[in-house]
Amino acid sequence: MFRVSYIRIRKHYLHLPYLVLGALEFAVLFSTFYLLGFVLDQLGGSQAGLHADPASALLFAFVMSCGTLAMGVYFAMVREGFASMFFRTLVAFCFVGGIALTILYMVLPTTSPGSDKLFWAVLLAIALVTVVRQLFLRVVDSDQLARRVVIYGGGEFAESLMTDYENNLRASGIRIIGCVPDSANPKVDSRHHLPAPEDFYQFCRQNRISEIVIAQRERRTSQGGRLPVDSFMDCKLRGIDVTDAVAFYERELKKARLELVHPSWILFSDGFKASRSRDFTKRVVDLLISLTLAIVLAPFMVLTALAVVLESGWPIFYSQNRVGVRGKVFRIYKFRSMRQDAEKDGKAQWASENDSRVTRVGAFIRNTRLDETPQLWNVIKGEMSIVGPRPERPEFVDQLKEQVPFYNTRHYVKPGLMGWAQLNYPYGASIEDARGKLEYDLYYSKNHSIVMDLLIMIQTVEVVLLGKGVR
């Protein structure tokens, strides 16, 4: 029985098929650059410009692979279709990768192939990786290679899992073949029902099931009777994975489904651990990145300040109280993107879509995230981190703690300029949005590491370039 599986790197789940695809693409990029250089060397000698140099080929492959990750190409490939994947690939290779390579060639001029030859290398790379991705989709989409899963349960948890499957999991190497209802009145659509098997292990063997996901409100008993513990233990001990629904969500969707989370999940999980060494390393990384960004972005910050003054006058900055680590309140600073009287009654207000309070300059600096750059000062001071849950206003926190379970858990991690929820959830401006974002914040709080922070930093490029999650 073949299983499309996953691995964990520093507690963060990574799907093996995408790692394999990434490795294949890296090999294609390296080979394209190296072999094109070799051919041109044969045709034009040393004057050709693009040399068959392994170091240059490695640099090209690494930068283009980072650009691919930054633009979210792999997720767009399976969720949004060919057109979106191709557009993001063009941006990743021609814009993100092009700018990065230009800067690197200025620092390392001996690795530069020349603009004409780089153009042909990029063009050929785009064509080849597009073919590789299409072949990959055909292989991963194959029922013979997919990880086949059955759900035990028929209530709202199972129904929610089926909905998320239809929206997000179908194209990621997962095949949920159906649900075995655990009650007389299941909520899952009847077309997904499976009859309760007399022998679960034989049922799994006959249907090539790799995993049973238990999606019940109560594990020991249910409205329809007892959980068949002995049958599931038999499956587990004979090689069939048996997984709790919250763990399945965490692994496959990189979030903690709030309705499934319970205190024991926090108490007895292998995450949510404080580490002085990790905190020290994170602090060093924060200082290095924030100081570097402050220097690089200084000209843009000056231009932003001038634009704000010219359009709507003073003040340039807008400050707010936010809730930080362990509930400590601190003050953040932004370039002002709204009118001076945006909150003239003094009451905190959620931002709305196409908010009329936003100025024209404000709309641009919000889309490009330039309005957030003064918060680098908060990072330097140690009140924020580069990566972490976005800090919320005290007025909203008091409200959300009363209405959203486990909301206060996000305050045990230092807030950040960019976060896991910002990558995966649209702009939040309601109680329901706060619940959705918390599911990703809980995953980050449980599993965060330097490796995960670096991945978030790279993927945030997509958020900035495409203006995702802005109001």
Side-chain angles (χ1 to χ4, degrees):
M1 185 185 302
F2 185 92
R3 297 182 181 181
V4 176
S5 193
Y6 58 90
I7 63 172
R8 293 186 78 181
I9 298 179
R10 302 294 297 175
K11 297 189 293 184
H12 183 53
Y13 291 97
L14 296 174
H15 286 278
L16 192 57
Y18 295 108
L19 290 177
V20 172
L21 175 60
L24 285 173
E25 287 192 10
F26 189 92
V28 168
L29 292 167
F30 176 87
S31 302
T32 299
F33 192 94
Y34 185 80
L35 293 176
L36 182 60
F38 179 80
V39 171
L40 291 176
D41 274 352
Q42 296 300 311
L43 293 176
S46 61
Q47 303 299 317
L50 184 63
H51 303 288
D53 177 17
S56 297
L58 279 173
L59 181 64
F60 176 81
F62 176 77
V63 170
M64 292 304 177
S65 295
C66 287
T68 298
L69 184 61
M71 288 305 301
V73 173
Y74 296 141
F75 294 107
M77 179 176 65
V78 297
R79 295 178 183 175
E80 301 174 11
F82 177 83
S84 178
M85 179 273 289
F86 189 73
F87 167 74
R88 289 170 185 262
T89 302
L90 290 178
V91 176
F93 283 18
C94 300
F95 184 73
V96 178
I99 291 176
L101 284 172
T102 299
I103 295 172
L104 288 171
Y105 290 153
M106 292 172 62
V107 178
L108 303 169
T110 57
T111 62
S112 174
S115 57
D116 291 343
K117 310 306 183 294
L118 181 62
F119 169 80
W120 289 110
V122 170
L123 196 65
L124 186 58
I126 290 173
L128 290 176
V129 297
T130 300
V131 172
V132 169
R133 288 168 189 164
Q134 291 300 103
L135 292 174
F136 168 82
L137 282 179
R138 291 192 178 187
V139 171
V140 172
D141 239 1
S142 170
D143 285 336
Q144 296 300 315
L145 298 181
R147 185 178 181 87
R148 292 168 65 83
V149 174
V150 64
I151 299 173
Y152 183 81
E156 63 268 26
F157 295 162
E159 182 184 37
S160 175
L161 189 53
M162 288 302 303
T163 300
D164 281 330
Y165 165 68
E166 295 291 340
N167 295 334
N168 299 301
L169 292 174
R170 180 178 289 276
S172 62
I174 294 290
R175 290 290 179 275
I176 296 181
I177 67 166
C179 298
V180 177
D182 61 333
S183 64
N185 300 302
K187 294 188 176 182
V188 176
D189 192 303
S190 59
R191 62 192 175 93
H192 298 304
H193 290 183
L194 296 172
E198 294 183 6
D199 187 325
F200 260 98
Y201 178 71
Q202 290 302 323
F203 169 79
C204 291
R205 285 200 61 185
Q206 293 169 6
N207 292 278
R208 297 186 295 110
I209 302 298
S210 301
E211 184 173 15
I212 302 169
V213 177
I214 301 175
Q216 284 185 304
R217 180 180 295 276
E218 174 58 52
R219 291 175 179 156
R220 297 177 184 175
T221 62
S222 66
Q223 294 177 359
R226 294 183 59 83
L227 181 71
V229 176
D230 291 340
S231 295
F232 291 155
M233 285 181 61
D234 181 49
C235 291
K236 178 77 172 182
L237 295 172
R238 297 175 74 174
I240 307 296
D241 289 340
V242 180
T243 309
D244 183 71
V246 67
F248 184 80
Y249 265 106
E250 184 181 355
R251 189 187 75 214
E252 299 297 338
L253 294 175
K254 312 297 186 298
K255 66 179 182 178
R257 189 70 178 184
L258 205 55
E259 291 85 352
L260 300 173
V261 171
H262 39 79
S264 62
W265 178 74
I266 297 175
L267 286 173
F268 303 119
S269 72
D270 62 351
F272 298 105
K273 291 181 180 178
S275 168
R276 289 185 178 181
S277 61
R278 183 181 60 203
D279 290 345
F280 175 77
T281 304
K282 188 177 176 71
R283 179 64 181 145
V284 172
V285 172
D286 284 342
L287 284 172
L288 289 174
I289 293 177
S290 58
L291 290 170
T292 302
L293 286 176
I295 294 170
V296 172
L297 296 176
F300 299 97
M301 294 170 73
V302 171
L303 291 174
T304 299
L306 288 173
V308 171
V309 170
L310 290 174
E311 182 187 32
S312 55
W314 301 87
I316 297 173
F317 298 105
Y318 177 67
S319 63
Q320 288 179 336
N321 284 334
R322 295 292 174 100
V323 177
V325 65
R326 296 182 182 87
K328 184 179 179 181
V329 176
F330 67 100
R331 202 152 188 85
I332 68 165
Y333 299 90
K334 296 182 178 184
F335 284 115
R336 183 171 54 81
S337 59
M338 291 187 174
R339 304 190 310 263
Q340 290 91 334
D341 62 346
E343 291 183 351
K344 56 187 176 182
D345 57 359
K347 294 182 179 180
Q349 299 179 34
W350 295 103
S352 59
E353 193 169 359
N354 300 318
D355 200 314
S356 62
R357 298 173 297 167
V358 178
T359 64
R360 287 176 297 176
V361 169
F364 175 78
I365 63 176
R366 280 177 169 237
N367 273 300
T368 55
R369 296 306 197 278
L370 284 170
D371 64 321
E372 307 281 359
T373 51
Q375 290 168 44
L376 289 170
W377 175 241
N378 295 107
V379 178
I380 293 170
K381 289 170 64 180
E383 296 166 333
M384 293 177 62
S385 179
I386 293 294
V387 178
R390 286 295 295 160
E392 195 53 85
R393 301 176 70 171
E395 301 90 335
F396 294 147
V397 169
D398 291 339
Q399 180 184 6
L400 292 168
K401 284 195 298 186
E402 296 296 325
Q403 301 186 45
V404 181
F406 303 104
Y407 188 79
N408 211 35
T409 56
R410 73 196 300 274
H411 298 132
Y412 285 86
V413 178
K414 189 179 290 187
L417 279 173
M418 57 191 78
W420 186 239
Q422 280 62 49
L423 287 178
N424 295 282
Y425 197 88
Y427 187 93
S430 67
I431 300 295
E432 191 57 37
D433 286 336
R435 292 174 63 90
K437 288 168 61 179
L438 181 61
E439 294 182 339
Y440 292 101
D441 286 337
L442 276 171
Y443 177 87
Y444 178 81
S445 298
K446 180 176 182 287
N447 300 296
H448 72 96
S449 64
I450 298 300
V451 172
M452 186 176 182
D453 285 355
L454 291 174
L455 289 173
I456 291 172
M457 290 180 210
I458 293 172
Q459 292 174 319
T460 299
V461 172
E462 176 195 2
V463 175
V464 175
L465 290 181
L466 300 185
K468 293 173 63 176
V470 176
R471 287 191 182 179

